[in-house]
Amino acid sequence: MKPDLFQSPDYYLLDDLLTDEHKLVRDAARAWVKKEVSPIIEEYAQKAEFPKQIVKGLGEIGGFGPYIPVEYGGAGLDQISYGLIMQEIERGDSGVRSTSSVQSSLVMYPIWKYGNEEQRMKYLPKLATGEWIGCFGLTEPDYGSNPGGMVTNFKDMGDHYLLNGAKMWISNAPFADIAVVWAKDETGRIHGLIVERGMEGFSTPETHNKWSLRASATGELIFDNVKVPKENLLPNKSGLGAPLGCLDSARYGIAWGAIGAAMDCYDTALRYSKERIQFDKPIGATQLQQKKLAEMITEITKAQLLTWRLGVLRNEGRATSAQISMAKRNNVNMAVEIAREARQMLGGMGITGEYSIMRHMMNLESVITYEGTHDIHLLITGMDVTGFAAFK
């Protein structure tokens, strides 16, 4: 088991833009990842198993709903703190960050924003500590980039709702205690429902044979005449804008998280370039390897500045969905390219579990697709600057 020697790059001294609280939050998350995630994550990725023993620690470092108010069990932190936590967790592993993102932005966020006081008090404190784990049911087998076409539906049966349908590619599904599920009512209007494990007709089969996010549990949500109590409907927002608002929060976290994966690949490649001797000198002393490293740190620095500014706008309530899309698309693509270049720098060693790079490479192939594909986010920016929707 190799020690975690990670040193975070800060080429433009961005720490000067952070408050003392930001740095304390980030450093606590970084120390936890080094101690609890890095030593075990390669083994769990190889086994294709989520390390459930880290859930309590994720709660302790603020990995679950850090911006949720204290009265509901959250830490009451700002959006930059949330982003920094996501950065540090994804530096460890994208799959672990996925578990954290889903819990924070796709389960706790809609209950906080769209739920009533009884729902907030019932669910949020237990979700904040990790006592309960949640998942988010939006994507369907035939409706990914077009979630408004969903066929999952519920009917009003007088004293309860009857829910039918299926969701897939759902992080945390196999072991989630609750699911925030988006479904159409009898008029075709989309609403959020809280479905609890144990409700008759509700099942969560696991998705196997993944080459990506292997240390994250993924599954389906199957609803076969599930009776959902009426008090489990999220009352304060409906329509497609409700789940899309959750995705804004999650995509923002991904924009930060991808920087963490990129930093880990860069740091690994930089260290290796100083140690690996070829033709009687370190490979880091050659022009081609320096070109790769110089481009990596340049792109990481640009992403850090982009995302810090987005965090400021989020704190001020001024960030737009299109701005979040730009950051998610840019930063994940940046991380994918850096992972590929770093893997080449390590040669054959780059494909082994002795180093984190190949695992990051595989994970990022999911991150560049989920919560809005690379191409869809491009079209969101295109629509924002031209005023024309080119989705169909």
Side-chain angles (χ1 to χ4, degrees), residues 137-142 150-153 164-168 170 181-182 220-224:
L138 179 64
T139 300
E140 298 190 358
D142 294 321
M150 70 174 66
V151 295
T152 299
N153 66 90
N164 282 282
K167 306 290 184 176
M168 72 182 304
I170 310 300
V181 178
W182 301 95
E220 301 174 56
L221 304 176
I222 308 296
F223 313 106
D224 182 9

Side-chain angles (χ1 to χ4, degrees), residues 13-146:
L13 308 182
L14 267 79
D15 268 20
D16 291 352
L17 300 173
L18 304 178
T19 66
D20 288 342
E21 182 178 66
H22 291 151
K23 286 179 274 194
L24 282 170
V25 167
R26 179 199 61 197
D27 292 348
R30 182 173 297 165
W32 179 81
V33 167
K34 286 195 172 196
K35 181 182 178 184
E36 303 293 342
V37 178
S38 299
I40 65 167
I41 197 63
E42 300 297 347
E43 174 191 354
Y44 277 85
Q46 291 284 359
K47 293 191 299 184
E49 182 181 333
F50 176 73
K52 293 182 182 178
Q53 70 271 22
I54 69 172
V55 166
K56 184 174 183 290
L58 278 170
E60 290 171 350
I61 65 164
F64 298 139
Y67 50 78
I68 298 293
V70 174
E71 58 263 36
Y72 303 122
L77 298 173
D78 74 351
Q79 289 292 301
I80 291 176
S81 293
Y82 169 52
L84 288 165
I85 293 169
M86 295 302 103
Q87 171 186 283
E88 295 305 314
I89 295 174
E90 187 145 2
R91 205 279 299 175
D93 186 75
S94 300
V96 176
R97 198 270 308 141
S98 294
T99 294
S100 183
S101 278
V102 167
Q103 184 92 332
S104 298
S105 290
L106 303 182
V107 180
M108 297 177 73
Y109 180 89
I111 293 173
W112 173 45
K113 284 291 190 181
Y114 312 149
N116 56 36
E117 194 65 13
E118 291 75 21
Q119 292 166 339
R120 295 183 192 116
M121 295 306 299
K122 176 179 179 180
Y123 296 106
L124 292 178
K126 291 184 177 180
L127 290 165
T129 62
E131 180 181 347
W132 286 353
I133 291 292
C135 64
F136 176 82
L138 179 64
T139 300
E140 298 190 358
D142 294 321
Y143 295 97
S145 296
N146 176 26

Side-chain angles (χ1 to χ4, degrees), residues 7 33 86 107 121 126 150 173-174 178 193 214 247 249 254 260 264 282 318 330-331 333 335 337 365 367 378:
Q7 292 185 308
V33 167
M86 295 302 103
V107 180
M121 295 306 299
K126 291 184 177 180
M150 70 174 66
I178 68 168
L193 299 160
R214 289 174 59 81
L247 289 172
S249 181
I254 290 170
D264 196 60
R318 294 197 294 147
N330 178 82
N331 291 10
N333 186 66
E337 295 298 328
E365 289 299 326
V367 181
L378 181 78

Side-chain angles (χ1 to χ4, degrees), residues 67-351:
Y67 50 78
I68 298 293
V70 174
E71 58 263 36
Y72 303 122
L77 298 173
D78 74 351
Q79 289 292 301
I80 291 176
S81 293
Y82 169 52
L84 288 165
I85 293 169
M86 295 302 103
Q87 171 186 283
E88 295 305 314
I89 295 174
E90 187 145 2
R91 205 279 299 175
D93 186 75
S94 300
V96 176
R97 198 270 308 141
S98 294
T99 294
S100 183
S101 278
V102 167
Q103 184 92 332
S104 298
S105 290
L106 303 182
V107 180
M108 297 177 73
Y109 180 89
I111 293 173
W112 173 45
K113 284 291 190 181
Y114 312 149
N116 56 36
E117 194 65 13
E118 291 75 21
Q119 292 166 339
R120 295 183 192 116
M121 295 306 299
K122 176 179 179 180
Y123 296 106
L124 292 178
K126 291 184 177 180
L127 290 165
T129 62
E131 180 181 347
W132 286 353
I133 291 292
C135 64
F136 176 82
L138 179 64
T139 300
E140 298 190 358
D142 294 321
Y143 295 97
S145 296
N146 176 26
M150 70 174 66
V151 295
T152 299
N153 66 90
F154 65 97
K155 295 179 180 179
D156 189 334
M157 305 304 289
D159 60 345
H160 65 274
Y161 298 120
L162 198 63
L163 178 66
N164 282 282
K167 306 290 184 176
M168 72 182 304
W169 305 122
I170 310 300
S171 295
N172 301 352
F175 56 81
D177 299 286
I178 68 168
V180 174
V181 178
W182 301 95
K184 290 180 176 177
D185 64 15
E186 289 160 283
T187 71
R189 184 76 176 174
I190 294 171
H191 295 265
L193 299 160
I194 301 172
V195 181
E196 300 177 24
R197 185 169 295 281
M199 289 182 175
E200 187 176 353
F202 175 42
S203 58
T204 59
E206 186 165 1
T207 303
H208 296 288
N209 298 323
K210 297 184 300 179
W211 288 111
S212 182
L213 299 181
R214 289 174 59 81
S216 174
T218 309
E220 301 174 56
L221 304 176
I222 308 296
F223 313 106
D224 182 9
N225 289 322
V226 179
K227 293 181 179 179
V228 180
K230 286 198 165 181
E231 60 265 27
N232 284 30
L233 180 83
L234 296 176
N236 292 330
K237 192 171 178 66
S238 63
L240 188 57
L244 293 183
C246 306
L247 289 172
D248 272 354
S249 181
R251 289 163 176 168
Y252 168 75
I254 290 170
W256 281 93
I259 296 173
M263 291 195 304
D264 196 60
C265 292
Y266 165 78
D267 182 65
T268 301
L270 176 62
R271 189 177 301 109
Y272 188 86
S273 76
K274 296 176 180 179
E275 299 168 353
R276 175 64 167 163
I277 306 298
Q278 285 289 284
F279 303 109
D280 302 319
K281 65 179 180 180
I283 63 172
T286 65
Q287 289 184 355
L288 281 177
Q289 304 309 313
Q290 288 190 8
K291 176 180 184 292
K292 293 179 191 294
L293 291 165
E295 290 177 340
M296 288 181 197
I297 191 58
T298 300
E299 293 305 315
I300 287 171
T301 301
K302 287 156 63 177
Q304 288 173 321
L305 288 163
L306 177 72
T307 313
W308 173 82
R309 177 59 183 160
L310 183 62
V312 171
L313 293 173
R314 288 277 289 176
N315 281 339
E316 295 173 351
R318 294 197 294 147
T320 67
S321 296
Q323 288 169 336
I324 295 168
S325 282
M326 176 184 283
K328 192 270 187 182
R329 179 179 183 273
N330 178 82
N331 291 10
V332 179
N333 186 66
M334 172 274 299
V336 166
E337 295 298 328
I338 286 176
R340 290 171 179 166
E341 288 292 293
R343 206 292 306 157
Q344 288 195 54
M345 289 184 65
L346 267 66
M349 292 305 296
I351 71 164

